[in-house]
Amino acid sequence: CGSLEFQYTTKVAGKYINPDSSVVEIGCGTGCYGIHFAEMCKEYIGIDLSPEQISTFNNKIKSRQLNNVKAIVGDAVNLNEIEDFRFDVVLALGPMYHLPKDERDSVLSECKRICRDQGIIILAYANKIGAYVNGCLLIPDKYPDKKLSHSVLKEGMSDDMPGLFYMTMPEEIEAQAVSNGLIVLRHAGVDFIFNPEVINAMTDKQFEAWLDICDYMCDSPTCTGLSTHALIVCQK
């Protein structure tokens, strides 16, 4: 929960959440975002496919005595336990980079169904270029590689964990959102990592300046593809 991805995701998504908001997070994991946003909204429902993750989230809810937060087991591609037009804000911060394109369409369809008219849908996804370039910087003995180029750039799939991680490009995910009837409000990169070892070795003064650069890149749509992960904010 202390990563740059978390920091910038909460910064971007937080602008659309207010004390009257009813919020659902699909693919909530152990509840990092749910715990963070709990005091900012009227209601927060976390849904995840893993009973173990939900159990951990529920333990956090209980220990913090959060009366406005609930965690349940559910499938991002079939949320039949949730009624239509239920939430003001729908967050899908994991499913879009764990599923292939056809299943991502199912997630988008479900997000749209449970979102109220004029409501907000925020999707996180993994960038092809951002992830690939980061791999080249981190493991120069392995990347770049022609076989990997085909896997990532053409098939949008992780080479070392195929079937678990999928990647796309900002223009591709935007076109997919629009084809599902959503209005795209903004794009934002959330973890411009590049070289963690260099960043971790920075002085406090240098890191503070680095965050200024990250702020600028997060606010600039043209930089989005350089981020390993990004958010697309849509309106129903």
Side-chain angles (χ1 to χ4, degrees):
C1 293
S3 66
L4 284 177
E5 181 183 3
F6 178 84
Q7 178 177 331
Y8 282 97
T9 296
T10 53
K11 178 180 179 181
V12 172
K15 294 179 180 179
Y16 302 93
I17 296 174
N18 61 61
D20 294 322
S21 297
S22 180
V23 182
V24 63
E25 181 188 354
I26 304 165
C28 63
T30 60
C32 283
Y33 292 105
I35 298 302
H36 176 86
F37 286 126
E39 63 182 21
M40 298 171 57
C41 62
K42 178 179 68 177
E43 174 191 30
Y44 200 101
I45 306 295
I47 302 173
D48 198 276
L49 190 62
S50 167
E52 292 79 12
Q53 302 271 53
I54 290 300
S55 177
T56 300
F57 192 176
N58 274 318
N59 287 336
K60 292 179 182 179
I61 294 169
K62 183 177 180 180
S63 67
R64 291 167 173 79
Q65 299 181 327
L66 299 174
N67 297 320
N68 66 327
V69 183
K70 182 180 179 182
I72 60 175
V73 175
D75 189 341
V77 301
N78 184 7
L79 299 168
N80 54 16
E81 69 275 21
I82 305 295
E83 63 266 32
D84 296 354
F85 313 113
R86 174 73 170 78
F87 296 98
D88 301 298
V89 179
V90 178
L91 307 175
L93 304 179
M96 300 300 281
Y97 53 81
H98 286 303
L99 296 171
K101 185 180 184 301
D102 59 336
E103 292 187 61
R104 292 200 296 267
D105 274 324
S106 296
V107 174
L108 279 167
S109 178
E110 285 292 78
C111 287
K112 184 179 177 183
R113 180 183 66 78
I114 66 176
C115 186
R116 292 171 182 160
D117 290 340
Q118 310 302 314
I120 297 296
I121 297 172
I122 302 177
L123 311 164
Y125 65 97
N127 271 312
K128 290 179 181 177
I129 296 299
Y132 194 174
V133 171
N134 193 44
C136 293
L137 293 172
L138 289 175
I139 318 174
D141 291 340
K142 183 177 180 181
Y143 306 128
D145 174 81
K146 276 289 189 179
K147 183 179 179 181
L148 174 66
S149 296
H150 181 82
S151 176
V152 172
L153 303 180
K154 300 298 183 183
E155 298 179 346
M157 187 181 298
S158 168
D159 66 319
D160 55 346
M161 287 182 281
L164 182 59
F165 288 101
Y166 294 86
M167 289 158 278
T168 184
M169 290 291 286
E171 58 269 26
E172 293 172 339
I173 200 77
E174 185 166 325
Q176 195 170 10
V178 171
S179 70
N180 278 273
L182 301 178
I183 300 169
V184 177
L185 300 181
R186 71 167 294 189
H187 252 115
V190 293
D191 58 348
F192 299 94
I193 299 173
F194 299 120
N195 194 328
E197 290 185 3
V198 172
I199 294 171
N200 290 337
M202 289 179 179
T203 65
D204 290 344
K205 185 177 181 180
Q206 288 174 321
F207 185 71
E208 186 176 346
W210 171 249
L211 290 180
D212 288 339
I213 301 172
C214 289
D215 287 344
Y216 192 88
M217 289 191 290
C218 180
D219 289 335
S220 175
T222 58
C223 293
T224 303
L226 293 174
S227 182
T228 304
H229 299 91
L231 299 178
I232 181 170
V233 181
C234 305
Q235 186 174 44
K236 179 177 175 179

